[in-house]
Amino acid sequence: MKEQITYIFRSGELYLADDNALPIGIPERFSGLVSDVFPIVIGGARAVVCLLDEKKELPLPAVGQWVKLRFILGSPDPALVELAPRATKALGLANWHHATRFCSRCGGSLADHASEVARQCAACGTVYYPRLSPAIITVVEKGDKILLARHSYRNQDMFTCVAGFLEHGETLEECVAREVREEIGIEVRDVRYKGSQSWPFPDQYMLAFTAQWASGEIQVDHAEIDEARWFSRDALPNTPSRGTVAWRLIHGDFDASSKN
């Protein structure tokens, strides 16, 4: 494979060379750690995505650094901000490619499609395209306060928006109302779409909404949510980092002219 710009990922982190640029090819010290590698086209340019085996010990890079994709999304560095959407796409495709190895119809092995971003079964010909899992994320408003929740299974030191996956047969607005009802125990109205963000951890596509409190008192489910409270935007707790769609919802930052 001709040496090209390479997106190297391990545990959600991206490897950057010493000038904060993507490397050309796979550095020799990582060659024995590769678990998956394949070509892609991003922004009209050919590139390579490489996943390293998370179970093997990773040598310290002689040059460069490992950077969390979440940090890149909210970085003040213009070069990293420009890189973020390409890195997001690369990680999403990497997660899909790594998990899509066998045909669910006949069990045959899959190979990269000859002309499309897809994988095809050599035995029965079934084609598999990259998968996206649509999910809503919402901030509920009550007067001058917003509802934020602390999850029971991740980021337990942080308050964030209510979120959940879209189910078959429901609209996005119905999904917002259901998730808030199931997790927090309140009813909402006036659900309004605000924006979206690709979230490749591993394959979500986040659709952001605001909603107005309609009725009910906070009664968390204690399965997914440990705590939920109303906060003023000028007295917020620890929240998700800048650059995430959650941060933009929490800070009311969905002006198209915003640079955040």
Side-chain angles (χ1 to χ4, degrees):
M1 183 181 296
K2 180 181 178 181
E3 295 231 308
Q4 296 172 326
I5 290 175
T6 307
Y7 295 81
I8 303 174
F9 291 102
R10 188 174 191 269
S11 301
E13 293 186 325
L14 176 67
Y15 175 73
L16 297 176
D18 56 355
D19 56 355
N20 271 351
L22 295 168
I24 303 298
I26 303 172
E28 180 63 30
R29 59 188 172 280
F30 297 150
S31 60
L33 303 175
V34 176
S35 64
D36 196 7
V37 58
F38 62 98
I40 59 173
V41 175
I42 295 183
R46 294 187 178 277
V48 175
V49 174
C50 173
L51 282 178
L52 300 188
D53 192 334
E54 298 182 8
K55 297 180 181 179
K56 294 183 179 179
E57 184 176 352
L58 181 69
L60 293 175
V63 294
Q65 61 178 325
W66 291 96
V67 181
K68 289 184 179 298
L69 187 52
R70 287 177 172 85
F71 171 79
I72 295 175
L73 288 170
S75 173
D77 184 338
L80 292 183
V81 170
E82 183 181 351
L83 172 63
R86 291 182 282 130
T88 297
K89 178 176 181 179
L91 179 58
L93 288 174
N95 291 335
W96 162 75
H97 194 275
H98 189 65
T100 311
R101 296 181 176 275
F102 299 99
C103 178
S104 59
R105 287 192 174 183
C106 73
S109 296
L110 301 180
D112 291 336
H113 194 280
S115 59
E116 298 184 73
V117 181
R119 309 210 79 193
Q120 188 168 24
C121 178
C124 71
T126 301
V127 177
Y128 296 86
Y129 293 93
R131 186 182 70 178
L132 286 174
S133 299
I136 61 89
I137 182 167
T138 185
V139 64
V140 181
E141 301 173 338
K142 184 181 183 183
D144 61 352
K145 294 187 176 182
I146 61 174
L147 179 74
L148 298 178
R150 188 167 56 82
H151 289 277
S152 59
Y153 57 93
R154 57 180 171 81
N155 300 329
Q156 295 178 339
D157 62 339
M158 177 186 301
F159 281 83
T160 187
C161 308
V162 174
F165 290 102
L166 182 70
E167 294 185 353
H168 287 285
E170 68 181 355
T171 67
L172 292 166
E173 292 81 4
E174 289 169 343
C175 182
V176 169
R178 175 182 56 77
E179 287 290 345
V180 174
R181 182 186 309 115
E182 290 177 353
E183 296 184 1
I184 310 297
I186 65 174
E187 298 295 330
V188 298
R189 60 176 175 81
D190 196 19
V191 177
R192 295 179 179 268
Y193 173 75
K194 304 300 290 186
S196 63
Q197 182 177 39
S198 177
W199 195 248
F201 302 103
D203 59 7
Q204 291 94 302
Y205 190 79
M206 307 303 297
L207 297 132
F209 294 84
T210 58
Q212 300 299 313
W213 173 85
S215 64
E217 299 297 329
I218 293 174
Q219 295 182 359
V220 299
D221 65 357
H222 291 294
E224 296 187 45
I225 304 296
D226 272 346
E227 181 183 5
R229 292 162 52 191
W230 296 102
F231 293 93
S232 170
R233 280 194 168 102
D234 58 9
L236 291 170
N238 184 32
T239 61
S241 60
R242 185 184 294 267
T244 63
V245 72
W247 188 94
R248 297 191 66 189
L249 278 174
I250 291 168
H251 291 268
D253 179 42
F254 267 97
D255 183 340
S257 64
S258 173
K259 302 299 182 183
N260 291 318

